[in-house]
Amino acid sequence: MSLFDPLGLLACVLVHGKIMMQDIWRSGIQWDEHINDKIHETWQRWIDLLEHVNEVRLPRCYFRNASADLYNSLEAHVFVDASEAAYYAVVYFRVFNSDGMVECALVSAKTKVAPLKYVSIPRLELMAAVIGIRLLSFVRESHTVQFNRCVYWSDSEVTLAWIRSEHRRYRPFVACRVGEILSATNVKDWRYVPSKLNVADDATKWGEGPRLEESGRWFSGPPFLLLPEEKWPKQKKLFDSTDEDLRACYLHQAVQILHNPINFERFSKWNRLQRTTAYVIRFVNFLKRNKSDASNRGAGLAQEELQAAEVLLWKLAQSEAYCDEQNVACG
């Protein structure tokens, strides 16, 4: 309760404490019971990491000796990442100083532990992208400066494919979140970054622990941001769609089998076959209606009845000759 970090400047450290508390909760350990050896080892590693927090010193200004003109070239870069335990987003400012050199500074970060109920890694990566756009919206509202450009970085090819594709094709979980992303960002603003270069990876994976030096990549941004844009990570050829979490498409196939009540081989003339078929249709309709209504039972055939008989004969012929094709068309 003594930790207060609303901007998430130490999120890469505190998130591991959140994960540990969730593990304790999941294990069912009561408040007066001893924790198991695995959690105790994690606790010791985290305590050792907290000792370095006292050495952290950050300037109050993003950039030393900054002038008003410096922010005319302001860019915002958002890095998102996720693991099985947590998902995360971090925002950096990038500017060109008076000497034409590039400077980067950490602005804010946001971490969340993964839900207790299992969620797949691609979905967690998508949730990280969502908190990334929300975090940048918070940063934009909290500053009076304007951004010339916003770039979003992710190492998840599935997430980038979801953003580039027609999101209505996917299940509601994916479709709703991709819809929120597209309403706040442009597809061309999303770029791929290898996991080793993704600074958000420092928070989602323990490894050796984040480096808390002021000149380290956590506070100063990934080294490639200090380079010209043509030297940024090359973009992989990403797919415009993915089969991950596609909405289930239920296909109902109805096959109508027409039974032929008339033996065609008994007829040598079309007119006789057509008239006989018309009388059969009249008789069937007579049985379907009230039997007492027999006003046209002995009357001659009308033109409409002959046309109905001709249509039925064509359907019967097609169902016999093209049975397989009709089944495929129905499917």
Side-chain angles (χ1 to χ4, degrees), residues 26 30 73 123 202-203 258:
R26 185 186 289 110
Q30 300 300 319
S73 61
R123 286 191 172 192
D202 293 347
L258 298 177

Side-chain angles (χ1 to χ4, degrees), residues 222-233:
F224 72 83
L225 282 185
L226 302 178
L227 303 175
E229 184 173 352
E230 56 269 15
K231 295 184 179 181
W232 289 357

